[in-house]
Each structure stands twice: as structure tokens, then as C-alpha cells.
């Protein structure tokens, strides 16, 4: 299933603008509530002043509360065209002294101990009101409280709140598009280094595998550039391996092919005897065998250097691989009069399981056995000995493969050089390509293992050689689940 290609620029823009567009109506709602509060404050103060002013007009005569200054009250209450103002004055007994009789009373339990104005919301004849009331305590009649209320409709408040909203909204109508433009410009400038990186990559020559400059890119892109640089390094290594393989193949095949051509020319010469023709054909056969072996070893080395990342890893039984390789090498050992055996952990042992590639591990074991069989002096009277074994660890921390052979051994100064391609120890008369141990080390490296060489019997005339491959990774994860 093909996924639709997405724009990073568009996705960032969406994630930036979506919250902005969602917050805008929320901001308007909050502004409305703030505007209502701001609009109430000045008018509430006016109501409080009017309530105090009316309360000052109360008088007590002959023990009776009087409010005889209705005209003064009308002057105190400044009505306008927008709102209707109501007032109410009640005696301590509840009798109406002046004002609107239908004006709702405040809560009966809300009688403050001292003379102070309270504010409340009310409704009269279907109109919403804002009211200020005060319980006026009169000391002349034993501090009995008289009620004074002043209320007005909310038209002026709504108009003021609307003006405040307009004053906030109109600038936002200009600021919001400007903010969108600035966000777009900022994103365009922000992703400019990506375009510059793209141009630098496009201008590269096909053979340029040098790392990209990770200092000239933003910090957020640096991990991506590092990953590309790692890829370029692996690609450079792969190209170098291919070039080295081609050079090695051309160098190693040149000699046997030249020998084949020379022997073919000798076989075709006139006047040659049958014995000479037979000898030339035998030389051609041996040269073809050497060429075939060299090609197989070069292909094995190329496969090993190609990397395990391209080949599937799975749980493999190293003991089973070694025993299979030993059985396959028995005919060659019999032909060379060599005593070949295996005395390690049996196939199927729990500790002999590791994660790896069975094909490459088989190639590793086969090359070790082939090297031991080739370089072990042997005859019918004095047979050589080659022994393979797999040593397991009960704790599952290490797994070792050992291949021992009797013979002259390898001098300590040469033990590192024998792993170099095409190198053969001095003094040996064995015909070979010199690639077997290079293949062994490369496959071991791909599996996180180390290859060591030691003398089997130090100090003796024939010290022998012990090759040890030590595996320390890929063991614990499969130690409890051997392959079927």
C-alpha cells in the first residue's frame, strides 16, 4: 500500500495555525466576559452612590420613618435615554415609603450588621436589572433597619461591553492575517537550510561519497545528516570492497590463466610426444583446479565482506554446523591420511545456540578445517591429527569453536599476518590461495567474535596450531530457546 507523500512545511503550518484559529474564538469569549465585568464596574459605583444618597434622605419624626423628599430623589437618580431607573424605600415595618412597589426584595437573611451597600441582579416586568440596596439602621428607633434600593436596566452596560468587544475584535481582524503571514514567512525561512542541503546533495558528483557537513545544518536535522553520513561510509566501504575484490580477482586469476594458456600452447605444438601432451593436460587440470578454488575463495570473501546486514540472522546450532562440516571433510582427510575427529558438545546442546547466519558460519568452519587439513603434514606411516570441538558455557556467556592440528605450527610473528589476504606462512609448500583465514576473520567479525591462534604443544618440535573462535554476543537471547 502506497502512502500519500506529505509536506513537512504544510504539516508544521497546520500544527501552528490550527491552535491559533482555535484560540481566537476562545479569546473572543474571554474578552466578552472581561468586557462585561469592566462595563459593570463604573455603573455599579453609580448605583452605590445613588443608594447612599437616597439613604441620607431618610428622616425620623415622632418615632416614624419618613421619606418626604421624592423630588430630591428624582434629582439624585439621573435617568437617561438608554436605561430606566427604579428605586424603593421601605420602612422597618415593611411599609412602602416611596418608589416602585414591585421591585424585588433582596434576600431576607442578607441584613448586614452595618450600613453598607450590596449589589445584586434582579428582574422586573421581564427586564433584567442591576440593583444596589442598603439596610439603613436608624438609631432613633432602636437601630431598626430601613431598606433603600436603586435599580436600573442593563442597556448601557451591554452597549459599553459591545464597544469594548469591538475595540478588541477590530484590531484582531488585522492582526490575525498579519500573524498568519509572519508564520508563513518564518517557516519559509526556517526550512531554507533544508533546501540548501538538498542543493548541496544535488550538486555532488556521482563518485563523491565524502561525508556531508553536519555543522552547516540545524540541530534538528543533524541526526538525519549523521545517518546519511553513516550510510555514505558504509557505501564507501562497500565500493572499496568491490574494487579490492576485482583487483584481487584479476591478480590471482592472472597466474593460473596464464599457466593454462601456456600449457595449451605446449599441448598444441607440433612434434610433441604423447607423454608431453599428457603432462600438459595434467598441468592444465591442476591449473584449472587452482583457478576454481581461487574463484570460490574470492566469492566467499566477497560474500563475507558484503555484511551480515543483507543476510538473515536466525538461531543456529554451532555444534550441528561443525559436525556436518567434519563429516563433509572426512573424504579429504582420508585422502591425506589425517585423523580427523570431533570431541566437543553434541549437536542440540542448549549452550551451542547463537544468532547468526548459518551459511557464513558453515563457510567459517569449512575454511578452518580446510586450512588445518592442507597445512598438517601427514603420511600413512605418520598420520597427522585434526580435531574440531565446540565448547559451551553453562552460564550462556561465551561459546568457543576450536580447531587443532598437529604440525610445525605458526611462528608468533606471523600469527597476525596469516589473516591478510593472499599471505602464506614462509616455508610451506602447500598450494593455496591465501584467502581462507581472511574469510574466517571477516565472518567472525560479522558475528561479533574474535579469532585467536596459539600453539597446541608449546616448546615441542611439532607444536601444532590451535585456532579458537570466541563468540560472546547473540547468546543470551536464545539460550533458553534452542532451534527445533
Amino acid at each position: 500500500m502506497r502512502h500519500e507523500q506529505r509536506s513537512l512545511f504544510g504539516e508544521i503550518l497546520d500544527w501552528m495555525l490550527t491552535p491559533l484559529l482555535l484560540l481566537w474564538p476562545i479569546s473572543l469569549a474571554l474578552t466578552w466576559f472581561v468586557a462585561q465585568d469592566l462595563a459593570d464596574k463604573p455603573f455599579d459605583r453609580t448605583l452605590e452612590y445613588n443608594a447612599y444618597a437616597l439613604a441620607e434622605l431618610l428622616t425620623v419624626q415622632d418615632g416614624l420613618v419618613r421619606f418626604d423628599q421624592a423630588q430630591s430623589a428624582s434629582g439624585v437618580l439621573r435617568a437617561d435615554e438608554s436605561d430606566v431607573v427604579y428605586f424603593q424605600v421601605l420602612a422597618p415595618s415593611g411599609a412602602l415609603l416611596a418608589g416602585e412597589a414591585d421591585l424585588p426584595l433582596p434576600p431576607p437573611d442578607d441584613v448586614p450588621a452595618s450600613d453598607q451597600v450590596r449589589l445584586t441582579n434582579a428582574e422586573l416586568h421581564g427586564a433584567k436589572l442591576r440593583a444596589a440596596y442598603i439596610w439603613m439602621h436608624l438609631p432613633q428607633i432602636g437601630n431598626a433597619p430601613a431598606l433603600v434600593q436603586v435599580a436600573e436596566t442593563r442597556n448601557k452596560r451591554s452597549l459599553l461591553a459591545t464597544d469594548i468587544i469591538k475595540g478588541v475584535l477590530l484590531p484582531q481582524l488585522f492582526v490575525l492575517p498579519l500573524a498568519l503571514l509572519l508564520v508563513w514567512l518564518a517557516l519559509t525561512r526556517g526550512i531554507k537550510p533544508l533546501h540548501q542541503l538538498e542543493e548541496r546533495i544535488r550538486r555532488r558528483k556521482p563518485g563523491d561519497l565524502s561525508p556531508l557537513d553536519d555543522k552547516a545544518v540545524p540541530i534538528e536535522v543533524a541526526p538525519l545528516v549523521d545517518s546519511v553520513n553513516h550510510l555514505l561510509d558504509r557505501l564507501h566501504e562497500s565500493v572499496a570492497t568491490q574494487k579490492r575484490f576485482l583487483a584481487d580477482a584479476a591478480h590471482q586469476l592472472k597466474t593460473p590463466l596464464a599457466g593454462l594458456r601456456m600449457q595449451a600452447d605446449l599441448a598444441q605444438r607440433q612434434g610433441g610426444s604423447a607423454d608431453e601432451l599428457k603432462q600438459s593436460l595434467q598441468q592444465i587440470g591442476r591449473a584449472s583446479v587452482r583457478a576454481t578454488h581461487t574463484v570460490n575463495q574470492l566469492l566467499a570473501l566477497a560474500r563475507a565482506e558484503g555484511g551480515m546486514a543483507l543476510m538473515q540472522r536466525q538461531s543456529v546450532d554451532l555444534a550441528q554446523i561443525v559436525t556436518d562440516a567434519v563429516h563433509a571433510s572426512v573424504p579429504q582427510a582420508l585422502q591425506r591420511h589425517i585423523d580427523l575427529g570431533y570431541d566437543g558438545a553434541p549437536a542440540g546442546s542448549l549452550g551451542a545456540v547463537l544468532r547468526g547466519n548459518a551459511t557464513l558460519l558453515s563457510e567459517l568452519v569449512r575454511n578452518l578445517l580446510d586450512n588445518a587439513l592442507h597445512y598438517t603434514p601427514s603420511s600413512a606411516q605418520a598420520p597427522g591429527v585434526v580435531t574440531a570441538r565446540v565448547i559451551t558455557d553453562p552460564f550462556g556467556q561465551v561459546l568457543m569453536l576450536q580447531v587443532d592440528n598437529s604440525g610445525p605450527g605458526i611462528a608468533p610473528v606471523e600469527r597476525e599476518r596469516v589473516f591478510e589476504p593472499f599471505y602464506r606462512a614462509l616455508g610451506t609448500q602447500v598450494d593455496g590461495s591465501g584467502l581462507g583465514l581472511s574469510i574466517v576473520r571477516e565472518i567472525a567479525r560479522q558475528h561479533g567474535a574474535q579469532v585467536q591462534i596459539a600453539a597446541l604443544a608449546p616448546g615441542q618440535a611439532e607444536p601444532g596450531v590451535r585456532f579458537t573462535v570466541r563468540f560472546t554476543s547473540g547468546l543470551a537471547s536464545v539460550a533458553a530457546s534452542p532451534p527445533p
Side-chain angles (χ1 to χ4, degrees):
M1 181 178 179
R2 184 177 179 181
H3 296 283
E4 184 179 357
Q5 195 173 25
R6 297 182 300 176
S7 168
L8 179 61
F9 179 88
E11 190 165 346
I12 296 176
L13 192 63
D14 290 342
W15 279 104
M16 294 185 67
L17 296 185
T18 301
L20 182 62
L21 295 178
L22 289 177
L23 289 175
W24 187 57
I26 297 176
S27 172
L28 292 181
L30 293 177
T31 304
W32 170 258
F33 287 112
V34 173
Q36 291 289 341
D37 184 66
L38 293 176
D40 281 340
K41 286 182 178 180
F43 297 109
D44 285 348
R45 285 195 294 269
T46 301
L47 282 178
E48 292 176 357
Y49 171 79
N50 290 337
Y52 273 122
L54 291 182
E56 294 294 329
L57 298 177
L58 287 172
T59 59
V60 178
Q61 295 179 1
D62 301 328
L64 297 176
V65 180
R66 297 180 180 277
F67 189 82
D68 297 332
Q69 304 183 29
Q71 296 297 327
S72 299
S74 300
V76 170
L77 303 179
R78 296 184 295 276
D80 54 37
E81 298 178 357
S82 299
D83 285 312
V84 177
V85 181
Y86 303 95
F87 77 97
Q88 182 186 67
V89 181
L90 297 179
S93 62
L96 179 67
L97 299 179
E100 184 68 37
D102 296 336
L103 195 64
L105 296 176
D109 56 345
D110 187 15
V111 180
S114 59
D115 299 338
Q116 59 181 356
V117 177
R118 298 290 184 90
L119 295 169
T120 185
N121 295 318
E123 187 173 343
L124 179 64
H125 306 311
K128 293 183 178 181
L129 305 177
R130 182 69 168 170
Y133 63 93
I134 180 173
W135 293 95
M136 195 67 182
H137 294 78
L138 303 174
Q140 297 90 339
I141 54 175
N143 279 335
L147 176 64
V148 177
Q149 287 193 94
V150 179
E152 66 178 3
T153 55
R154 305 181 66 95
N155 295 332
K156 293 194 298 292
R157 301 167 187 262
S158 298
L159 291 175
L160 180 58
T162 302
D163 291 339
I164 294 174
I165 290 292
K166 289 180 180 179
V168 174
L169 177 61
L170 291 178
Q172 288 187 1
L173 293 178
F174 293 98
V175 170
L176 184 61
L178 181 60
L180 299 180
L181 177 62
L182 293 177
V183 168
W184 186 84
L185 292 175
L187 280 178
T188 303
R189 182 175 179 84
I191 66 171
K192 188 175 181 180
L194 295 180
H195 294 302
Q196 295 174 348
L197 178 62
E198 176 190 2
E199 290 299 324
R200 291 202 303 271
I201 295 176
R202 287 183 180 276
R203 289 196 300 266
R204 282 193 163 217
K205 296 180 180 179
D208 185 5
L209 299 179
S210 60
L212 299 173
D213 183 11
D214 57 354
K215 305 299 182 183
V217 297
I219 297 178
E220 292 77 9
V221 187
L224 174 61
V225 175
D226 289 339
S227 300
V228 173
N229 286 338
H230 287 308
L231 177 62
L232 291 175
D233 290 339
R234 293 195 298 269
L235 183 60
H236 183 270
E237 183 179 352
S238 177
V239 171
T241 300
Q242 293 179 3
K243 290 180 179 180
R244 185 170 62 252
F245 170 75
L246 293 175
D248 294 342
H251 174 74
Q252 291 299 311
L253 292 177
K254 183 185 300 182
T255 300
L257 291 178
L260 283 172
R261 180 175 180 179
M262 182 185 67
Q263 294 298 330
D265 291 340
L266 291 175
Q268 293 175 6
R269 72 182 186 279
Q270 295 180 357
S273 63
D275 292 338
E276 292 175 342
L277 177 60
K278 183 178 180 180
Q279 184 179 4
S280 296
L281 292 177
Q282 290 175 348
Q283 293 291 340
I284 290 175
R286 285 193 291 268
S288 64
V289 170
R290 289 195 299 271
T292 301
H293 179 71
T294 300
V295 170
N296 290 335
Q297 292 292 81
L298 286 170
L299 291 176
L301 181 61
R303 184 167 57 249
E305 290 180 342
M308 285 284 294
L310 301 178
M311 305 188 72
Q312 183 178 5
R313 293 175 183 255
Q314 58 186 359
S315 299
V316 295
D317 186 349
L318 183 62
Q320 184 65 56
I321 291 176
V322 176
T323 53
D324 291 344
V326 169
H327 292 157
S329 300
V330 167
Q332 182 181 0
L334 293 175
Q335 182 181 3
R336 296 176 177 271
H337 306 286
I338 293 178
D339 181 9
L340 174 63
Y342 175 80
D343 64 356
S349 299
L350 186 62
V353 178
L354 75 155
R355 289 195 64 82
N357 183 269
T359 302
L360 291 183
L361 289 173
S362 299
E363 189 73 26
L364 179 147
V365 177
R366 190 188 65 79
N367 276 279
L368 281 177
L369 291 176
D370 187 66
N371 179 80
L373 293 174
H374 272 80
Y375 286 92
T376 300
S378 181
S379 64
Q381 295 76 21
V385 179
V386 174
T387 304
R389 67 177 60 87
V390 173
I391 302 175
T392 61
D393 177 12
F395 300 102
Q397 300 298 319
V398 67
L399 178 62
M400 290 191 296
L401 164 64
Q402 290 183 347
V403 176
D404 300 342
N405 67 84
S406 59
I410 302 176
V413 294
E414 292 187 318
R415 289 176 184 173
E416 188 63 28
R417 297 200 61 191
V418 294
F419 292 105
E420 299 176 3
F422 311 114
Y423 179 82
R424 288 193 291 270
L426 298 176
T428 58
Q429 303 299 324
V430 179
D431 187 15
S433 63
L435 292 173
L437 295 181
S438 298
I439 297 172
V440 169
R441 169 166 280 189
E442 182 60 30
I443 295 176
R445 185 185 68 83
Q446 297 286 357
H447 287 79
Q450 295 179 346
V451 185
Q452 299 173 343
I453 301 176
L456 187 61
Q460 298 186 10
E462 297 291 333
V465 180
R466 168 172 289 175
F467 286 88
T468 301
V469 184
R470 186 182 183 91
F471 297 91
T472 56
S473 61
L475 304 178
S477 60
V478 297
S481 56

